Amino acid sequence: MNRRAALCSLSIGLTLGTAGCLDAVVGEAAQASAGESRIPKGDLTEADYSVVEEGYTEYDYAVEALGEELEVMFVIHQSLYERHDFGDSVGVISLYTIPTVEVGGDRFAPFHGTQRRAFELSETQDDVGELKKRGSGTISALGQTIEMDVYDSVVEGDGNEVPIVIRISETVKMDGDTFAFIAYHPAAMADEWTTQSRLLSSVVHESRTEGN
């Protein structure tokens, strides 16, 4: 399974397609930083998942407010986890924490349509096939019920097409941030979702205030 190709396509799709809002903005430029969402190390170890990445990515966005255009830098936190079996990737979970922003008393959502935009962007990548909806569902995480859509697709690797199942969540608000996730695994390993759902249910969020 070509993990890097699929991961890049899906991660870009969610990062650019997730709903979010703006912090306090002063002057012509501002920065809004998210808190952190992650899966506890003990739960990862028990499920045989490992940390691929936990860190921040900057994304510039122009917001029209107060009669003028303001440049805002969103600092988005991503936590990425993966499980391997005999050298092959058999499960990937990517968590996204996006800062909320408010300008002049108004809230803005510069990233619209989590699923739609993620799908459009991922479908432009050569390694990920068309995403076909198979259903929807919910999962309990961060003290909330989070809705998600489930899709079938394929990823090309070593000249072969590997069927995969992708779950992309709607966004939820928490402690001044917005949270969303992508999880996927080979379609032939349907039981992997049981492990992934348990890990997602254990996600913890640390706000910017708590982290300072």
Side-chain angles (χ1 to χ4, degrees):
M1 183 177 182
N2 190 332
R3 178 191 64 80
R4 290 187 179 278
L7 182 60
C8 178
S9 300
L10 296 174
S11 296
I12 291 174
L14 183 58
T15 299
L16 299 182
T18 303
C21 305
L22 289 171
D23 273 342
V25 176
V26 180
E28 297 181 355
Q31 175 175 304
S33 299
E36 301 180 7
S37 298
R38 56 169 52 92
I39 297 171
K41 291 183 178 179
D43 294 289
L44 291 171
T45 300
E46 183 178 347
D48 201 25
Y49 269 71
S50 59
V51 178
V52 177
E53 176 186 0
E54 287 183 336
Y56 285 92
T57 300
E58 297 177 350
Y59 178 71
D60 293 325
Y61 193 85
V63 175
E64 291 188 6
L66 305 175
E68 59 183 87
E69 186 174 275
L70 303 175
E71 292 293 331
V72 180
M73 178 183 291
F74 287 85
V75 184
I76 297 171
H77 187 268
Q78 179 185 6
S79 296
L80 181 62
Y81 310 100
E82 183 177 22
R83 187 171 84 82
H84 287 87
D85 187 27
F86 295 103
D88 292 327
S89 175
V90 296
V92 174
I93 298 174
S94 193
L95 312 179
Y96 297 85
T97 313
I98 303 103
T100 28
V101 185
E102 188 171 305
V103 181
D106 295 325
R107 286 181 174 269
F108 293 83
F111 306 111
H112 291 284
T114 306
Q115 284 89 355
R116 179 177 60 80
R117 289 291 302 282
F119 298 162
E120 291 173 356
L121 289 167
S122 64
E123 286 173 6
T124 65
Q125 306 296 321
D126 294 335
D127 299 284
V128 179
E130 179 182 359
L131 301 177
K132 300 178 180 179
K133 186 173 181 179
R134 66 150 61 179
S136 59
T138 60
I139 186 171
S140 296
L142 295 167
Q144 304 185 53
T145 299
I146 302 176
E147 297 182 357
M148 60 186 176
D149 283 342
V150 185
Y151 291 82
D152 290 314
S153 188
V154 295
V155 61
E156 294 184 5
D158 300 325
N160 299 314
E161 286 191 345
V162 179
I164 59 175
V165 178
I166 305 169
R167 290 173 171 83
I168 302 181
S169 77
E170 291 285 359
T171 54
V172 295
K173 295 179 180 179
M174 56 178 187
D175 299 331
D177 288 327
T178 299
F179 170 82
F181 71 81
I182 283 179
Y184 65 97
H185 58 78
M189 302 186 66
D191 290 346
E192 188 66 22
W193 171 239
T194 300
T195 300
Q196 291 184 331
S197 62
R198 185 171 66 250
L199 290 174
L200 287 166
S201 295
S202 72
V203 169
V204 295
H205 174 259
E206 183 180 87
S207 68
R208 284 160 287 169
T209 300
E210 292 172 338
N212 292 334

